[in-house]
Amino acid sequence: MLLPGCQLKPALPQVFCRLWAVMGKLQSKLRHSTYKYSRPDGLMEEGVQTKVFQEYSPAHVDAVSVVATLSSDLCVSGGKDKTAVAYNWKTGHVVKRFRGHEREITKIACIPKSNQFFSASRDKSILMWDLEGSSQPRQELSGHAMVVTGLAVTHLCWVPREPYVLQSSEDKTIRLWDSRRLQVAHVFPTKQHIQTHCEVSVDGHTCISCSSGFGGEGCEATLWDLRQTRDRMCEYKGHFQTVASCVFLPKSMALMPMIATSAHDSTVKIWNQDTGACLFTLSLDGSGPLTSLAVGDITSLLCASFYRGVHLLRVDCSRELALQEVAAF
């Protein structure tokens, strides 16, 4: 939804907004969720988790479209209620609400090591906010109608320590832009479905993208090489509806490199990054489409949903891999 050449208003520093574009009183409840686990012998184990989890009063009154991590204990979410909410997901309370958009917030991008973030909306505005400032936006991005060749860009992210920006789009491609010249440096092979999200690994060597789809057609995530070959390295297939988000999990979580995906089929899956094997599937029953996924800390994931706000998930590798819901807001 934003060309890398978008212009910021003069007062705003030339910071790339790698865009884009529930919270309250604590209660304990029982939650039933289904899971699938890939055992060491290769068999799949299926069961039902019944866990006590913490539920906070929701801050959003409608579907949550996106969640992003601002710091080790703060996240920012946005959705159809046109409000961005900063939330301390460790203590369970709203830190601040930000209102200024006229339509649904579709993306949140946090500036690393700061208290500032951007929000993008279907009202074609991009606003910059400061957690330490007022509840009014600091600046507004302007420049164009937020489309590329008539098709919306779905996500942008920096390649660490490089002058490159990765872009996913509704034209079914992943592009690598050179931010110095605002030129396309590489176009990855076109996929069969819309690319809904992209993410770059911390070392900058690989990236993942995910696809729309239905009935198992499409609905995959793809690992790409960002170095010399820039080839497709692995695919992760097993979702039955659009995969909306994908993230690299911290290496400290397990001995093997892993990624996680969330999809409109209400499931979160953890995959072996190297082999493509699905290691664990958690079904968040009753949550509707899962719209966004973010790494909270070395053991936690934040997952946004249509019907039940934001889910706090815990990755446990102490004995065998497990993914559990521990809170919802």
Side-chain angles (χ1 to χ4, degrees):
M1 296 193 177
L2 175 68
L3 274 174
C6 68
Q7 298 296 315
L8 305 184
K9 288 191 174 180
L12 181 64
Q14 293 299 317
V15 179
F16 171 68
C17 36
R18 49 159 242 219
L19 185 23
W20 257 276
V22 200
M23 304 168 173
K25 187 177 179 180
L26 186 66
Q27 294 181 343
S28 293
K29 290 188 176 182
L30 289 177
R31 173 73 66 194
H32 303 283
S33 56
T34 58
Y35 71 91
K36 291 183 180 179
Y37 165 65
S38 179
R39 298 184 345 193
D41 57 11
L43 297 177
M44 291 298 297
E45 178 180 311
E46 187 169 356
V48 178
Q49 294 177 344
T50 302
K51 296 288 182 180
V52 176
F53 83 112
Q54 306 298 323
E55 186 169 37
Y56 313 123
S57 301
H60 293 284
V61 297
D62 210 327
V64 181
S65 303
V66 61
V67 62
T69 304
L70 185 62
S71 67
S72 60
D73 55 1
L74 298 180
C75 66
V76 181
S77 59
K80 288 189 175 182
D81 62 3
K82 313 171 193 175
T83 304
V85 178
Y87 193 77
N88 188 317
W89 53 269
K90 288 187 176 180
T91 62
H93 70 274
V94 173
V95 176
K96 203 168 189 176
R97 302 176 191 270
F98 302 86
R99 295 181 176 90
H101 286 293
E102 297 178 357
R103 295 186 64 187
E104 173 188 357
I105 294 175
T106 56
K107 293 290 180 177
I108 298 287
C110 299
I111 301 176
K113 299 179 182 179
S114 80
N115 290 315
Q116 299 174 341
F117 66 93
F118 293 89
S119 59
S121 169
R122 295 192 184 279
D123 63 13
K124 298 184 180 180
S125 71
I126 302 168
L127 303 179
M128 181 184 182
W129 310 88
D130 192 331
L131 186 63
E132 301 301 325
S134 72
S135 58
Q136 298 299 312
R138 284 191 57 186
Q139 295 290 340
E140 181 176 352
L141 283 166
S142 62
H144 57 80
M146 304 177 70
V147 293
V148 180
T149 62
L151 293 169
V153 172
T154 56
H155 198 72
L156 294 175
C157 54
W158 278 113
V159 177
R161 299 172 295 280
E162 297 286 349
Y164 296 112
V165 177
L166 191 71
Q167 170 218 314
S168 56
S169 177
E170 288 186 357
D171 66 2
K172 307 175 185 178
T173 64
I174 302 295
R175 288 181 170 86
L176 194 65
W177 290 81
D178 187 331
S179 64
R180 297 164 297 186
R181 301 176 181 86
L182 297 180
Q183 294 178 344
V184 175
H186 183 73
V187 180
F188 293 90
T190 303
K191 300 287 289 180
Q192 295 298 311
H193 296 80
I194 289 171
Q195 297 300 283
T196 58
H197 189 80
C198 59
E199 187 87 358
V200 179
S201 61
V202 173
D203 59 16
H205 294 168
T206 57
C207 67
I208 45 177
S209 66
C210 47
S211 298
S212 65
F214 186 77
E217 182 69 25
C219 314
E220 80 274 359
T222 306
L223 181 71
W224 307 92
D225 183 11
L226 279 179
R227 291 170 289 182
Q228 295 299 320
T229 65
R230 293 178 176 170
D231 290 335
R232 183 179 67 185
M233 300 174 66
C234 192
E235 284 201 330
Y236 311 92
K237 297 183 177 181
H239 286 291
F240 290 96
Q241 295 184 36
T242 291
V243 182
S245 192
C246 48
V247 294
F248 290 93
L249 297 184
K251 291 185 178 179
S252 56
M253 279 188 178
L255 296 176
M256 71 184 80
M258 300 186 298
I259 69 168
T261 56
S262 64
H264 289 185
D265 59 11
S266 299
T267 64
V268 178
K269 291 180 179 286
I270 295 179
W271 311 81
N272 183 314
Q273 179 181 314
D274 295 333
T275 67
C278 182
L279 304 175
F280 199 94
T281 300
L282 177 66
S283 180
L284 296 172
D285 304 330
S287 297
L290 305 181
T291 54
S292 181
L293 199 61
V295 175
D297 57 23
I298 60 172
T299 62
S300 302
L301 290 172
L302 298 163
C303 181
S305 70
F306 259 44
Y307 301 135
R308 287 183 46 222
V310 179
H311 305 264
L312 174 59
L313 310 178
R314 187 66 40 79
V315 181
D316 184 2
C317 297
S318 58
R319 304 180 69 178
E320 57 187 27
L321 178 66
L323 181 64
Q324 300 174 352
E325 181 184 16
V326 295
F329 48 92

